[in-house]
Amino acid sequence: RERIGEVVHHLARALCLEALDQPHRALARAGLDALTAGDTDAERDVKKLGFGFWLAVGWLVLLITLAVLAPVLPFIDDPNLSQADALEASPSAEHWFGGDDIGRDVFSRVIWGARVSLFIGVAAVTFGFVIGGTLGLTAGFFQGRYERVVIGAMDIMLAFPALVLALALVTFLSEPGTQNATVGTVTLVLTILAVPALARITRAATLTFAQREFVTASRALGARNSRIIAREILPNVLPPMAAFALIAIAIVIVAEGALSFLGLSVASPTATWGNLIEQGRNSLDDTPWISLFPCGVMFLTLLSFNYVGDQLRRYFDVKEINV
């Protein structure tokens, strides 16, 4: 429909110009070209990702690089190594983020905590999209009774308070009589919590394409449902969902921090951003850097994920409008 509209627009433009005499035709062509150029410039401005986008990407790349290479980088110590000169030491050239109450380097613990927090966020969102995305994609495509059953089940899961459900899942998945969660346990719990929301979002994105003309054309040509989903629906759903995945990672990282404050996240001495902030909250008056530096790094990371995801969603929305 969009392409047909463009063709009709150009034909109408040509006919209108031909109906004018030479002086008026030149003036009208100049005006129409100016309007078209203005639209093109506006579209180009919308498509620009901007300096802030690349600044956020640079921060994420730097953080991920440090987290991945933490075991081999010489300026990142063992996160559980106690040093006499780091005992409640304020930030300095030797200890960039200072030291905690038992002499561990806070900068090293923040970087090692990034390994765990980012892994939990990425893994939970990836598994959530595989499970919830599949349910949402098929529900939005087939609709009918299957859609009602799937979305009804997702609504029931969303009706449970998230923290109460997380508490129940951690207790059930931990060893009897304990709530000592592992990285795998926390990832599984957050995946289960993420599935309903991701399924509903994927279904909503699928519904916008399921009745489009290219899907109707594929059905008319005798394509099977599996081929339509794989070749027509999925390529169009993936870009906006990938953009939303970055925002979802930020949400999952915040959820892990909330579990740490309840004592339900990864047990110490394994460092995560959540338990680093929680461990320093009782000494904010004397050694505020123990909590403030992990909190600052977490804030910048979440801001970057949200901004990058929002800019990519905006970019893909504009691209879809112009298809």
Side-chain angles (χ1 to χ4, degrees):
R1 287 196 299 270
E2 290 84 356
R3 293 177 179 174
I4 292 175
E6 291 179 4
V7 172
V8 172
H9 168 74
H10 289 301
L11 288 175
R13 180 171 182 257
L15 291 174
C16 290
L17 290 176
E18 290 300 325
L20 299 174
D21 54 17
Q22 187 65 29
H24 292 86
R25 187 184 306 167
L27 182 61
R29 181 179 288 109
L32 289 171
D33 290 341
L35 289 174
T36 304
D39 293 340
T40 303
D41 292 340
E43 176 184 316
R44 189 180 298 112
D45 290 338
V46 171
K47 282 191 174 184
K48 285 181 180 178
L49 293 174
F51 175 75
F53 172 85
W54 296 111
L55 186 63
V57 170
W59 169 259
L60 293 176
V61 170
L62 174 62
L63 182 66
I64 292 172
T65 302
L66 290 175
V68 171
L69 299 179
V72 298
L73 291 176
F75 54 88
I76 298 179
D77 301 326
D78 184 339
N80 298 317
L81 175 64
S82 296
Q83 306 173 55
D85 62 338
L87 183 62
E88 296 186 347
S90 58
S92 63
E94 292 78 15
H95 304 286
W96 298 345
F97 289 178
D100 64 8
D101 53 355
I102 61 174
R104 295 174 298 187
D105 184 68
V106 175
F107 174 77
S108 299
R109 289 180 63 76
V110 168
I111 299 302
W112 280 86
R115 290 169 62 91
V116 179
S117 293
L118 291 176
F119 172 80
I120 291 174
V122 172
V125 171
T126 300
F127 294 140
F129 264 124
V130 171
I131 300 171
T134 301
L135 293 173
L137 184 67
T138 53
F141 181 78
F142 293 108
Q143 301 183 15
R145 181 178 298 176
Y146 174 73
E147 180 188 25
R148 291 194 295 271
V149 171
V150 171
I151 299 304
M154 298 300 104
D155 289 340
I156 292 173
M157 293 182 66
L158 288 172
F160 284 96
L163 288 178
V164 175
L165 182 58
L167 174 61
L169 290 173
V170 169
T171 303
F172 176 76
L173 295 173
S174 300
E175 295 181 3
T178 68
Q179 291 182 342
N180 296 327
T182 64
V183 174
T185 300
V186 174
T187 302
L188 178 59
V189 169
L190 294 178
T191 298
I192 294 173
L193 294 178
V195 164
L198 297 178
R200 290 189 64 88
I201 292 170
T202 306
R203 167 183 169 269
T206 303
L207 288 174
T208 62
F209 296 102
Q211 305 300 324
R212 294 287 293 271
E213 63 278 355
F214 55 84
V215 175
T216 304
S218 296
R219 284 198 181 100
L221 292 173
R224 295 176 299 178
N225 288 333
S226 59
R227 185 187 186 280
I228 294 175
I229 292 174
R231 300 292 297 274
E232 306 293 344
I233 304 293
L234 188 59
N236 288 285
V237 171
L238 279 179
M241 297 315 297
F244 178 78
L246 297 174
I247 300 175
I249 291 172
I251 296 173
V252 171
I253 292 175
V254 172
E256 186 278 326
L259 290 176
S260 292
F261 272 84
L262 295 176
L264 303 176
S265 187
V266 182
S268 185
T270 302
T272 70
W273 286 340
N275 63 34
L276 288 178
I277 297 171
E278 194 277 333
Q279 289 168 8
R281 67 188 177 94
N282 294 324
S283 57
L284 288 175
D285 293 335
D286 301 324
T287 54
W289 53 83
I290 297 177
S291 284
L292 292 183
F293 278 111
C295 189
V297 172
M298 185 177 180
F299 169 78
L300 291 176
T301 304
L302 300 182
L303 180 64
S304 298
F305 272 122
N306 278 285
Y307 188 77
V308 170
D310 187 63
Q311 289 296 99
L312 289 177
R313 180 191 55 78
R314 179 169 166 263
Y315 175 84
F316 286 124
D317 283 348
V318 173
K319 184 176 181 179
E320 173 60 27
I321 290 172
N322 292 326
V323 170

